[in-house]
Amino acid sequence: MTEWSAALHRLWSAAVVISSREQLAELVLPPLQELPGVRAVWGLRHAVQGDTVLAYRWKGLPLTGDLRDLVERLAPGEAGPARVIGAGDELREQGVTRVVAARFDQPGEAGGTILVALDDTGDAALVGRCLEQVIEVTHEAVRRLSEARVDQEQQVRDALLAEASLQMDAVLDTEQTMYRVPRMAVPAIAEGCLVFVYEDGKPVLRSAVHVDMRLLGRLLHDPDAVQSLAEPGEHALELRARGRVIGMLVFLFDRPAGRIPPPAFLRDLAARAALAIDNSTLYEQRRQEVARMQQHLLPTRLPRAGGLELAASYTVGDRVLEVGGDFYDVVVRDDGVVAAVIGDVCGRGVDAAALTGMARHTLTALLQEGLSPERALTRLNARLRLDGSWRFITAAVALLRPHDDGYAVQWTSAGHPAPVVMRGAGGASRGSGGGVPLGVLDSPQFGSSTLRLSRHDTLVMFTDGLTESRDGDGQMFEQDGLARALDRLGGVPVQTLVDELSTSAEASDDIALLALRVRAEP
């Protein structure tokens, strides 16, 4: 038995490092084949439930044809000690007089049977003891493989959850989030996934994905079937966020039960999806509120100026959830002089919004009364210094006086970006800015310049959200993108100009744009 002891030691050493059941079969059958009097060793792998044989392995006599059916009938129906079974005529023709068989079962795992075929010279008692030792090794190896598989599956599920969270949280757009949630589940987790959101207390299907979209299409054409899917169940999980149910996440499976992820994993995924959907919904609601509040800080409509076409736009920054401080307005005096105002209050939020409203109304009221841009800006600066506000304001006023067939423009700037003049005949040039933002010095300092607008020329005024926006390479829009956009937009209607120009920049800050174009006819 010295040889067997050495073989058993090698079995135990190898059993702790193998990575598959196939390796296990190649490991445990050969040592039994080497025992005296052994004609063949046969291995059967059973289904997790029942006696269905999933795989066959052998050493010695091939386990094929009628012999396979015979051996299946000889296999024990339950686990237990090795037993000796007399061979029938069919086996005796193969030189086999006895068969020693033992079976092992393990909850949740495919069981197995090993049968050793002996001739007249074989020692059935010795083979039975050796077989029981091999069964013990096999049982332990299967247990280790099971634990390793469970750990690996858990790692895969953890990685899927982490990736799902990253993908779902990567955007704060509600529609994009609805799009991403089911696509993270299919096909890695399920064959299909549907997202329902409660609207007015009723589940509304917002997104659906399936590996067979034609099958999904037929399913979604049946309103009763869709409604039944929205009922809570084993694979229809409530989307619960911040203490309230916001919808349902439904998984559709078309795979063996053993490949369906555990309920805890599905619940975890549903919880993350619920938070992502709720975050995006709240973000969108907040953005809409900010946009509405922002509109209250701006003029409801621009006035009519006989010789000018006026247009303005306001774009809320992509990642902004507080009211900004950008503002614009236009005043038309009785003498035909037009004063265009633009500015930007430092910071965001309620305090900035209050200062924004005060600054716009102060400047427009003073300009309407006939004060020069310098005096109006000086009065606003004095108010800021008196209030002791730490916020500063960049602001500028373009005063347009009719002159010949166009306008003479007096540009006065308190630290504000210089305007652009787009010529009707083509081309664009940048004005000059200068000055110090209001609220910084007791005696304000302004930059000033004079511009000339002829027929079809356009004066474009903007806040720094336009020029300081950056592309993916970190390059500011002012460096190159502004010139390209102006060339592309030459000759378009003035409202189209401001709308397109604001969307040309990938801005994270707000953008206020105001354009004044001299009409073809006075």
Side-chain angles (χ1 to χ4, degrees):
M1 292 295 293
T2 303
E3 295 83 357
W4 175 252
S5 297
L8 187 62
H9 176 74
R10 290 193 297 273
L11 277 179
W12 277 110
S13 299
V16 298
V17 297
I18 60 173
S19 59
S20 69
R21 291 285 288 260
E22 287 68 26
Q23 289 179 323
L24 178 62
E26 295 300 320
L27 177 70
V28 300
L29 299 187
L32 292 170
Q33 174 69 19
E34 299 299 323
L35 293 173
V38 174
R39 296 295 307 277
V41 183
W42 301 310
L44 310 178
R45 185 191 303 176
H46 306 293
V48 176
Q49 295 180 340
D51 291 329
T52 302
V53 177
L54 302 177
Y56 302 86
R57 295 289 187 272
W58 63 85
K59 292 294 178 182
L61 297 175
L63 196 54
T64 58
D66 294 339
L67 183 57
R68 177 176 292 185
D69 296 334
L70 174 61
V71 169
E72 282 193 40
R73 292 197 298 270
L74 293 176
E78 58 184 19
R83 64 197 69 179
V84 180
I85 305 169
D89 294 338
E90 297 160 289
L91 286 176
R92 288 184 179 277
E93 293 176 359
Q94 303 288 336
V96 176
T97 59
R98 291 153 298 163
V99 174
V100 182
R103 173 170 175 157
F104 74 92
D105 289 313
Q106 190 161 309
E109 293 294 330
T113 297
I114 299 178
L115 303 98
V116 183
L118 305 178
D119 60 18
D120 287 333
T121 66
D123 184 340
L126 171 63
V127 170
R129 290 193 298 273
C130 293
L131 177 57
E132 289 176 353
Q133 291 173 327
V134 169
I135 289 291
E136 185 178 355
V137 174
T138 303
H139 194 281
E140 177 62 18
V142 170
R143 185 188 68 80
R144 288 176 176 270
L145 289 173
S146 175
E147 289 181 349
R149 188 184 71 253
V150 170
D151 289 343
Q152 185 179 30
E153 290 174 349
Q154 186 60 50
Q155 291 176 7
V156 171
R157 288 194 292 268
D158 289 344
L160 282 170
L161 284 174
E163 179 64 19
S165 294
L166 286 174
Q167 290 293 327
M168 291 185 292
D169 294 340
V171 295
L172 285 173
D173 178 85
T174 303
E175 294 303 319
Q176 281 291 320
T177 303
M178 296 292 182
Y179 175 88
R180 292 188 178 208
V181 167
R183 281 161 180 76
M184 285 303 305
V186 178
I189 297 168
E191 279 64 50
C193 184
L194 295 84
V195 180
F196 291 87
V197 174
Y198 287 124
E199 298 179 4
D200 297 327
K202 297 180 180 180
V204 177
L205 182 63
R206 295 292 301 275
S207 184
V209 176
H210 198 280
V211 293
D212 186 347
M213 293 303 292
R214 290 179 299 180
L215 175 63
L216 179 64
R218 291 194 296 271
L219 176 65
L220 298 184
H221 272 91
D222 184 349
D224 293 336
V226 174
Q227 190 65 29
S228 66
L229 288 171
E231 298 296 329
E234 182 181 6
H235 299 144
L237 307 176
E238 289 183 338
L239 292 170
R240 185 179 294 272
R242 297 178 174 90
R244 57 195 177 87
V245 178
I246 64 173
M248 298 289 298
L249 187 63
V250 181
F251 298 99
L252 304 177
F253 294 104
D254 184 18
R255 61 181 67 184
R259 292 187 55 222
I260 294 178
F265 170 77
L266 298 180
R267 288 194 298 270
D268 198 350
L269 183 62
R272 298 182 189 217
L275 190 59
I277 292 172
D278 197 47
N279 284 342
S280 66
T281 302
L282 293 175
Y283 180 87
E284 188 63 31
Q285 291 173 352
R286 178 59 178 165
R287 275 182 57 83
Q288 293 174 1
E289 292 171 358
V290 168
R292 288 194 295 269
M293 293 175 64
Q294 198 75 60
Q295 291 302 317
H296 290 299
L297 299 176
L298 301 172
T300 305
R301 63 177 62 88
L302 295 176
R304 295 176 60 86
L308 297 169
E309 296 179 58
L310 309 181
S313 75
Y314 195 104
T315 304
V316 178
D318 287 342
R319 294 180 292 276
V320 172
L321 288 179
E322 294 289 347
V323 180
D326 296 22
F327 62 91
Y328 62 82
D329 209 338
V330 177
V331 171
V332 180
R333 295 177 180 173
D334 293 339
D335 59 0
V337 174
V338 176
V341 176
I342 194 163
D344 185 0
V345 175
C346 169
R348 310 192 67 84
V350 176
D351 291 342
L355 193 55
T356 298
M358 184 273 290
R360 180 173 76 86
H361 289 295
T362 296
L363 287 177
T364 54
L366 294 174
L367 292 167
Q368 185 72 61
E369 291 175 3
L371 271 68
S372 68
E374 291 86 352
R375 290 187 62 191
L377 291 168
T378 299
R379 293 272 293 272
L380 177 57
N381 183 77
R383 173 64 183 273
L384 294 174
R385 299 296 291 171
L386 180 64
D387 291 345
S389 173
W390 62 268
R391 299 179 187 274
F392 59 85
I393 301 175
T394 69
V397 178
L399 201 65
L400 287 78
R401 291 186 172 89
H403 182 77
D404 295 336
D405 60 349
Y407 284 82
V409 182
Q410 176 190 349
W411 174 261
T412 306
S413 168
H416 199 79
V420 168
V421 176
M422 298 179 67
R423 300 299 176 186
S429 60
R430 190 80 183 268
S432 60
V436 176
L438 302 176
V440 176
L441 303 175
D442 289 335
S443 298
Q445 297 180 10
F446 305 121
S448 62
S449 60
T450 301
L451 304 171
R452 173 77 177 173
L453 297 181
S454 300
R455 293 181 182 180
H456 301 291
D457 290 350
T458 306
L459 178 69
V460 183
M461 305 163 62
F462 44 82
T463 55
D464 60 10
L466 176 72
T467 54
E468 295 182 1
S469 61
R470 296 178 183 269
D471 60 19
D473 297 326
Q475 187 175 34
M476 287 199 301
F477 187 68
E478 185 174 24
Q479 293 174 264
D480 187 36
L482 178 59
R484 291 200 312 270
L486 292 174
D487 288 342
R488 175 173 57 84
L489 295 172
V492 303
V494 66
Q495 187 63 55
T496 302
L497 169 65
V498 294
D499 292 340
E500 291 290 326
L501 191 57
S502 65
T503 57
S504 297
E506 300 176 10
S508 58
D509 196 4
D510 293 2
I511 299 175
L513 274 162
L514 179 61
L516 303 93
R517 175 173 294 171
V518 182
R519 296 181 185 273
E521 297 295 332

PDB file of all heavy atoms in Angstrom, residues 494-514:
ATOM      1  N   VAL A 494     -30.546  87.698 -36.614  1.00  0.00           N
ATOM      2  CA  VAL A 494     -29.888  88.098 -35.381  1.00  0.00           C
ATOM      3  C   VAL A 494     -30.253  87.176 -34.207  1.00  0.00           C
ATOM      4  O   VAL A 494     -29.413  86.880 -33.349  1.00  0.00           O
ATOM      5  CB  VAL A 494     -30.203  89.578 -35.070  1.00  0.00           C
ATOM      6  CG1 VAL A 494     -31.676  89.782 -34.761  1.00  0.00           C
ATOM      7  CG2 VAL A 494     -29.322  90.089 -33.958  1.00  0.00           C
ATOM      8  N   GLN A 495     -31.497  86.691 -34.141  1.00  0.00           N
ATOM      9  CA  GLN A 495     -31.859  85.776 -33.054  1.00  0.00           C
ATOM     10  C   GLN A 495     -31.146  84.431 -33.219  1.00  0.00           C
ATOM     11  O   GLN A 495     -30.685  83.832 -32.254  1.00  0.00           O
ATOM     12  CB  GLN A 495     -33.373  85.563 -33.008  1.00  0.00           C
ATOM     13  CG  GLN A 495     -33.845  84.750 -31.803  1.00  0.00           C
ATOM     14  CD  GLN A 495     -33.545  85.455 -30.479  1.00  0.00           C
ATOM     15  OE1 GLN A 495     -33.946  86.592 -30.272  1.00  0.00           O
ATOM     16  NE2 GLN A 495     -32.826  84.780 -29.580  1.00  0.00           N
ATOM     17  N   THR A 496     -31.051  83.987 -34.465  1.00  0.00           N
ATOM     18  CA  THR A 496     -30.302  82.749 -34.723  1.00  0.00           C
ATOM     19  C   THR A 496     -28.846  82.918 -34.313  1.00  0.00           C
ATOM     20  O   THR A 496     -28.219  81.992 -33.782  1.00  0.00           O
ATOM     21  CB  THR A 496     -30.387  82.377 -36.210  1.00  0.00           C
ATOM     22  OG1 THR A 496     -31.751  82.237 -36.581  1.00  0.00           O
ATOM     23  CG2 THR A 496     -29.646  81.080 -36.498  1.00  0.00           C
ATOM     24  N   LEU A 497     -28.308  84.099 -34.560  1.00  0.00           N
ATOM     25  CA  LEU A 497     -26.918  84.367 -34.200  1.00  0.00           C
ATOM     26  C   LEU A 497     -26.657  84.136 -32.719  1.00  0.00           C
ATOM     27  O   LEU A 497     -25.737  83.413 -32.341  1.00  0.00           O
ATOM     28  CB  LEU A 497     -26.563  85.810 -34.586  1.00  0.00           C
ATOM     29  CG  LEU A 497     -25.227  86.345 -34.053  1.00  0.00           C
ATOM     30  CD1 LEU A 497     -24.077  85.580 -34.650  1.00  0.00           C
ATOM     31  CD2 LEU A 497     -25.109  87.839 -34.326  1.00  0.00           C
ATOM     32  N   VAL A 498     -27.474  84.746 -31.852  1.00  0.00           N
ATOM     33  CA  VAL A 498     -27.217  84.623 -30.411  1.00  0.00           C
ATOM     34  C   VAL A 498     -27.507  83.208 -29.917  1.00  0.00           C
ATOM     35  O   VAL A 498     -26.802  82.687 -29.046  1.00  0.00           O
ATOM     36  CB  VAL A 498     -28.031  85.664 -29.608  1.00  0.00           C
ATOM     37  CG1 VAL A 498     -27.544  87.066 -29.930  1.00  0.00           C
ATOM     38  CG2 VAL A 498     -29.524  85.527 -29.856  1.00  0.00           C
ATOM     39  N   ASP A 499     -28.529  82.574 -30.481  1.00  0.00           N
ATOM     40  CA  ASP A 499     -28.848  81.212 -30.057  1.00  0.00           C
ATOM     41  C   ASP A 499     -27.734  80.238 -30.435  1.00  0.00           C
ATOM     42  O   ASP A 499     -27.300  79.417 -29.621  1.00  0.00           O
ATOM     43  CB  ASP A 499     -30.180  80.756 -30.680  1.00  0.00           C
ATOM     44  CG  ASP A 499     -31.371  81.511 -30.123  1.00  0.00           C
ATOM     45  OD1 ASP A 499     -31.242  82.083 -29.029  1.00  0.00           O
ATOM     46  OD2 ASP A 499     -32.421  81.513 -30.791  1.00  0.00           O
ATOM     47  N   GLU A 500     -27.285  80.320 -31.683  1.00  0.00           N
ATOM     48  CA  GLU A 500     -26.242  79.408 -32.150  1.00  0.00           C
ATOM     49  C   GLU A 500     -24.902  79.691 -31.483  1.00  0.00           C
ATOM     50  O   GLU A 500     -24.147  78.771 -31.170  1.00  0.00           O
ATOM     51  CB  GLU A 500     -26.095  79.523 -33.672  1.00  0.00           C
ATOM     52  CG  GLU A 500     -27.271  78.989 -34.467  1.00  0.00           C
ATOM     53  CD  GLU A 500     -27.361  77.480 -34.388  1.00  0.00           C
ATOM     54  OE1 GLU A 500     -26.298  76.828 -34.325  1.00  0.00           O
ATOM     55  OE2 GLU A 500     -28.476  76.942 -34.374  1.00  0.00           O
ATOM     56  N   LEU A 501     -24.602  80.949 -31.257  1.00  0.00           N
ATOM     57  CA  LEU A 501     -23.329  81.298 -30.636  1.00  0.00           C
ATOM     58  C   LEU A 501     -23.256  80.766 -29.207  1.00  0.00           C
ATOM     59  O   LEU A 501     -22.211  80.271 -28.757  1.00  0.00           O
ATOM     60  CB  LEU A 501     -23.154  82.815 -30.649  1.00  0.00           C
ATOM     61  CG  LEU A 501     -21.772  83.359 -30.282  1.00  0.00           C
ATOM     62  CD1 LEU A 501     -20.701  82.777 -31.184  1.00  0.00           C
ATOM     63  CD2 LEU A 501     -21.777  84.885 -30.360  1.00  0.00           C
ATOM     64  N   SER A 502     -24.372  80.823 -28.491  1.00  0.00           N
ATOM     65  CA  SER A 502     -24.374  80.340 -27.100  1.00  0.00           C
ATOM     66  C   SER A 502     -24.194  78.840 -27.016  1.00  0.00           C
ATOM     67  O   SER A 502     -23.591  78.325 -26.070  1.00  0.00           O
ATOM     68  CB  SER A 502     -25.671  80.752 -26.400  1.00  0.00           C
ATOM     69  OG  SER A 502     -26.791  80.115 -26.997  1.00  0.00           O
ATOM     70  N   THR A 503     -24.706  78.110 -28.023  1.00  0.00           N
ATOM     71  CA  THR A 503     -24.573  76.644 -27.994  1.00  0.00           C
ATOM     72  C   THR A 503     -23.262  76.171 -28.609  1.00  0.00           C
ATOM     73  O   THR A 503     -22.917  75.005 -28.494  1.00  0.00           O
ATOM     74  CB  THR A 503     -25.746  75.987 -28.741  1.00  0.00           C
ATOM     75  OG1 THR A 503     -25.788  76.476 -30.090  1.00  0.00           O
ATOM     76  CG2 THR A 503     -27.057  76.281 -28.051  1.00  0.00           C
ATOM     77  N   SER A 504     -22.525  77.065 -29.271  1.00  0.00           N
ATOM     78  CA  SER A 504     -21.248  76.670 -29.863  1.00  0.00           C
ATOM     79  C   SER A 504     -20.187  76.429 -28.803  1.00  0.00           C
ATOM     80  O   SER A 504     -19.249  75.663 -29.013  1.00  0.00           O
ATOM     81  CB  SER A 504     -20.759  77.750 -30.839  1.00  0.00           C
ATOM     82  OG  SER A 504     -21.647  77.897 -31.919  1.00  0.00           O
ATOM     83  N   ALA A 505     -20.320  77.085 -27.673  1.00  0.00           N
ATOM     84  CA  ALA A 505     -19.342  76.935 -26.588  1.00  0.00           C
ATOM     85  C   ALA A 505     -19.812  75.857 -25.629  1.00  0.00           C
ATOM     86  O   ALA A 505     -20.982  75.772 -25.284  1.00  0.00           O
ATOM     87  CB  ALA A 505     -19.197  78.262 -25.847  1.00  0.00           C
ATOM     88  N   GLU A 506     -18.885  75.005 -25.208  1.00  0.00           N
ATOM     89  CA  GLU A 506     -19.204  73.951 -24.241  1.00  0.00           C
ATOM     90  C   GLU A 506     -19.092  74.557 -22.843  1.00  0.00           C
ATOM     91  O   GLU A 506     -18.130  74.320 -22.106  1.00  0.00           O
ATOM     92  CB  GLU A 506     -18.251  72.773 -24.411  1.00  0.00           C
ATOM     93  CG  GLU A 506     -18.323  72.142 -25.795  1.00  0.00           C
ATOM     94  CD  GLU A 506     -17.294  71.042 -25.977  1.00  0.00           C
ATOM     95  OE1 GLU A 506     -16.668  70.646 -24.971  1.00  0.00           O
ATOM     96  OE2 GLU A 506     -17.123  70.585 -27.115  1.00  0.00           O
ATOM     97  N   ALA A 507     -20.087  75.345 -22.494  1.00  0.00           N
ATOM     98  CA  ALA A 507     -19.979  76.166 -21.286  1.00  0.00           C
ATOM     99  C   ALA A 507     -20.428  75.434 -20.040  1.00  0.00           C
ATOM    100  O   ALA A 507     -21.421  74.709 -20.054  1.00  0.00           O
ATOM    101  CB  ALA A 507     -20.800  77.437 -21.459  1.00  0.00           C
ATOM    102  N   SER A 508     -19.693  75.635 -18.956  1.00  0.00           N
ATOM    103  CA  SER A 508     -20.125  75.155 -17.652  1.00  0.00           C
ATOM    104  C   SER A 508     -20.687  76.307 -16.824  1.00  0.00           C
ATOM    105  O   SER A 508     -21.287  76.091 -15.776  1.00  0.00           O
ATOM    106  CB  SER A 508     -18.955  74.508 -16.906  1.00  0.00           C
ATOM    107  OG  SER A 508     -17.897  75.437 -16.757  1.00  0.00           O
ATOM    108  N   ASP A 509     -20.462  77.543 -17.292  1.00  0.00           N
ATOM    109  CA  ASP A 509     -20.995  78.731 -16.627  1.00  0.00           C
ATOM    110  C   ASP A 509     -22.119  79.305 -17.479  1.00  0.00           C
ATOM    111  O   ASP A 509     -22.288  78.959 -18.645  1.00  0.00           O
ATOM    112  CB  ASP A 509     -19.868  79.765 -16.451  1.00  0.00           C
ATOM    113  CG  ASP A 509     -20.238  80.829 -15.433  1.00  0.00           C
ATOM    114  OD1 ASP A 509     -21.315  80.718 -14.822  1.00  0.00           O
ATOM    115  OD2 ASP A 509     -19.443  81.769 -15.261  1.00  0.00           O
ATOM    116  N   ASP A 510     -22.884  80.227 -16.884  1.00  0.00           N
ATOM    117  CA  ASP A 510     -23.973  80.855 -17.631  1.00  0.00           C
ATOM    118  C   ASP A 510     -23.415  81.749 -18.739  1.00  0.00           C
ATOM    119  O   ASP A 510     -22.292  82.257 -18.644  1.00  0.00           O
ATOM    120  CB  ASP A 510     -24.831  81.702 -16.694  1.00  0.00           C
ATOM    121  CG  ASP A 510     -25.573  80.854 -15.686  1.00  0.00           C
ATOM    122  OD1 ASP A 510     -25.385  79.625 -15.699  1.00  0.00           O
ATOM    123  OD2 ASP A 510     -26.328  81.419 -14.877  1.00  0.00           O
ATOM    124  N   ILE A 511     -24.212  81.927 -19.783  1.00  0.00           N
ATOM    125  CA  ILE A 511     -23.843  82.813 -20.890  1.00  0.00           C
ATOM    126  C   ILE A 511     -25.008  83.748 -21.173  1.00  0.00           C
ATOM    127  O   ILE A 511     -26.115  83.289 -21.463  1.00  0.00           O
ATOM    128  CB  ILE A 511     -23.517  82.028 -22.173  1.00  0.00           C
ATOM    129  CG1 ILE A 511     -22.329  81.093 -21.969  1.00  0.00           C
ATOM    130  CG2 ILE A 511     -23.226  82.987 -23.319  1.00  0.00           C
ATOM    131  CD1 ILE A 511     -22.039  80.215 -23.178  1.00  0.00           C
ATOM    132  N   ALA A 512     -24.744  85.056 -21.083  1.00  0.00           N
ATOM    133  CA  ALA A 512     -25.721  86.055 -21.516  1.00  0.00           C
ATOM    134  C   ALA A 512     -25.197  86.668 -22.808  1.00  0.00           C
ATOM    135  O   ALA A 512     -24.018  87.031 -22.904  1.00  0.00           O
ATOM    136  CB  ALA A 512     -25.900  87.128 -20.451  1.00  0.00           C
ATOM    137  N   LEU A 513     -26.066  86.772 -23.806  1.00  0.00           N
ATOM    138  CA  LEU A 513     -25.698  87.315 -25.112  1.00  0.00           C
ATOM    139  C   LEU A 513     -26.728  88.366 -25.519  1.00  0.00           C
ATOM    140  O   LEU A 513     -27.942  88.162 -25.361  1.00  0.00           O
ATOM    141  CB  LEU A 513     -25.664  86.213 -26.166  1.00  0.00           C
ATOM    142  CG  LEU A 513     -24.366  85.421 -26.321  1.00  0.00           C
ATOM    143  CD1 LEU A 513     -24.641  84.118 -27.069  1.00  0.00           C
ATOM    144  CD2 LEU A 513     -23.319  86.232 -27.060  1.00  0.00           C
ATOM    145  N   LEU A 514     -26.228  89.492 -26.052  1.00  0.00           N
ATOM    146  CA  LEU A 514     -27.100  90.562 -26.523  1.00  0.00           C
ATOM    147  C   LEU A 514     -26.531  91.058 -27.850  1.00  0.00           C
ATOM    148  O   LEU A 514     -25.341  91.377 -27.943  1.00  0.00           O
ATOM    149  CB  LEU A 514     -27.142  91.699 -25.506  1.00  0.00           C
ATOM    150  CG  LEU A 514     -27.996  92.923 -25.830  1.00  0.00           C
ATOM    151  CD1 LEU A 514     -29.456  92.546 -25.998  1.00  0.00           C
ATOM    152  CD2 LEU A 514     -27.834  93.983 -24.733  1.00  0.00           C
TER     153      LEU A 514
END
